[in-house]
Amino acid sequence: MSTTALFHRLLDGLTSADWTELAELYTEDARVTMPFALPEPRVLHGRDEIAAHFAGSTAVPIRFRAENVVVHTTTDPDVVIAEFDYVVRVLTDDSEFRVSNVQLVRARDGRIAETHDYHDHARLAAALTG
């Protein structure tokens, strides 16, 4: 599977809130870096940590809809850079807001080996805390 196809499968799972199978898209030793995570940057090491992260997302009362998705290929066929917006719906009050995202995805052997996720964690956290 191409890196672009992997990114789209990941995005489809995130926007459908189908958290159960997402970790299977990652290599056993994958690394997910979230430099803007709060209260401090976060790095997930390995498929098990990634699966636990996704499992924790099931309780978060937000849903994502992706818009303006642009995937940039690079000179390395295993690396893509995606730009997209999330329209975020807060389930507790049915409000919506938009956040911009950039994600670097590196694949190996048909799975995601590494991502750098630049999401607006401050805005997401603010929506969840009221």
Side-chain angles (χ1 to χ4, degrees):
M1 179 180 313
S2 74
T3 308
T4 298
L6 278 169
F7 166 76
H8 282 290
R9 284 200 50 203
L10 176 63
L11 192 60
D12 289 346
L14 293 168
T15 57
S16 69
D18 182 10
W19 309 106
T20 57
E21 303 297 323
L22 285 178
E24 293 305 313
L25 295 175
Y26 292 81
T27 62
E28 203 56 48
D29 63 343
R31 178 183 171 110
V32 173
T33 302
M34 295 174 277
F36 299 147
L38 296 173
E40 60 187 356
R42 186 165 183 205
V43 178
L44 304 174
H45 299 277
R47 188 184 297 152
D48 290 342
E49 278 189 33
I50 294 165
H53 174 75
F54 286 138
S57 298
T58 61
V60 179
I62 58 176
R63 293 296 176 264
F64 302 107
R65 182 175 74 244
E67 293 183 350
N68 306 317
V69 179
V70 178
V71 178
H72 303 277
T73 57
T74 68
T75 57
D76 182 342
D78 292 332
V79 176
V80 298
I81 299 169
E83 298 178 86
F84 55 101
D85 294 328
Y86 275 141
V87 176
V88 182
R89 184 168 49 96
V90 182
L91 301 178
T92 54
D93 65 8
D94 215 29
S95 64
E96 285 190 347
F97 62 94
R98 180 179 299 272
V99 294
S100 296
N101 308 277
V102 173
Q103 191 169 35
L104 180 143
V105 179
R106 180 182 309 278
R108 182 177 70 239
D109 300 325
R111 294 187 189 261
I112 299 169
E114 179 180 16
T115 68
H116 294 262
D117 302 357
Y118 300 94
H119 308 300
D120 190 344
H121 289 273
R123 186 117 188 252
L124 292 167
L128 293 173
T129 58

